[in-house]
Amino acid sequence: SDLSRLARHDALTGLYTRRVLDDVLVQEIKRSTRTKRGFGVAIADLDDFKRVNDKYSHDTGDKALVELSKVLRSCIRSTDTVGRWGGEEFLLILPETSCAGAKKVLERIRIAVEEINIFHEGTKVLLSITIGLSYRHGSYDRESMIDEADKALYAGKRAGKNRVVCYQEETAGCSQ
């Protein structure tokens, strides 16, 4: 029904909602714990989104989020999951991958976002994205992975935005 679709998909972007992402995360963590394969969780945040809304308009801001969601969908692998985490934040779930593999997908997204063409009264709206990644092997819980992805995201923001940062590389070194 339309109602259950609405509960599962964000109205603006058509991406999964936070509730669905939580379910997928639980499933993927179980699977990864079983298979012992590497697993990534990333939080992507549109840089200076408040400025886009204030300088241009909320319609332009919405358009940016819609275009971003198209980029996210087209850049991920069929086994990956993406959804709207809240506001201008998006969550990516990247199962069965190496740290380098996860970063390659995220870097592809970062570059594609710079190439989004949105215009406001003839002016190109420049967009960029910062992405924080938590990459783990074996057992872990969703709270700590989301927390690590969030910390990596903020490290990327502090370092100047428009970049992909892996929490494990920043702290202890990323195990391939």
Side-chain angles (χ1 to χ4, degrees):
S1 73
D2 282 353
L3 212 64
S4 65
R5 185 184 150 73
L6 280 176
R8 289 178 56 83
H9 293 85
D10 173 62
L12 177 67
T13 62
L15 296 177
Y16 285 132
T17 58
R18 194 173 182 133
R19 210 165 74 200
V20 177
L21 291 168
D22 271 330
D23 292 345
V24 173
L25 258 177
V26 170
Q27 290 312 311
E28 287 302 344
I29 285 174
K30 279 185 189 151
R31 174 158 70 156
S32 183
T33 305
R34 214 173 45 241
T35 62
K36 307 277 189 287
R37 291 208 177 95
F39 177 72
V41 173
I43 300 177
D45 182 90
L46 211 47
D47 294 328
D48 303 311
F49 184 65
K50 189 183 173 326
R51 187 187 54 81
V52 171
N53 272 331
D54 294 348
K55 186 175 172 184
Y56 303 106
S57 69
H58 283 275
D59 280 352
T60 304
D62 283 354
K63 208 179 287 179
L65 294 174
V66 168
E67 290 304 314
L68 170 59
S69 58
K70 288 180 191 166
V71 163
L72 291 169
R73 261 198 297 255
S74 67
C75 288
I76 61 172
R77 305 165 306 164
S78 60
T79 48
D80 300 330
T81 304
V82 64
R84 192 167 178 193
W85 195 237
E88 66 277 17
E89 281 197 338
F90 296 80
L91 188 86
L92 296 116
I93 300 166
L94 310 158
E96 312 231 336
T97 183
S98 65
C99 185
K103 282 177 71 182
K104 196 182 287 173
V105 170
L106 300 175
E107 191 57 35
R108 201 163 55 217
I109 289 168
R110 189 192 66 75
I111 291 163
V113 168
E114 289 185 311
E115 291 164 7
I116 290 175
N117 279 311
I118 297 179
F119 294 88
H120 178 79
E121 292 168 2
T123 306
K124 184 172 160 129
V125 178
L126 298 173
L127 298 173
S128 69
I129 198 165
T130 302
I131 308 175
L133 167 68
S134 172
Y135 180 79
R136 299 268 198 111
H137 270 285
S139 60
Y140 33 74
D141 62 287
R142 56 175 286 289
E143 283 80 15
S144 58
M145 284 193 84
I146 287 168
D147 186 50
E148 288 171 359
D150 213 42
K151 285 186 172 127
L153 169 68
Y154 283 99
K157 294 281 187 190
R158 281 195 305 273
K161 304 178 180 146
N162 193 20
R163 63 195 65 215
V164 175
V165 176
C166 175
Y167 177 85
Q168 281 71 16
E169 277 181 337
E170 293 295 297
T171 51
C174 207
S175 57
Q176 291 303 315

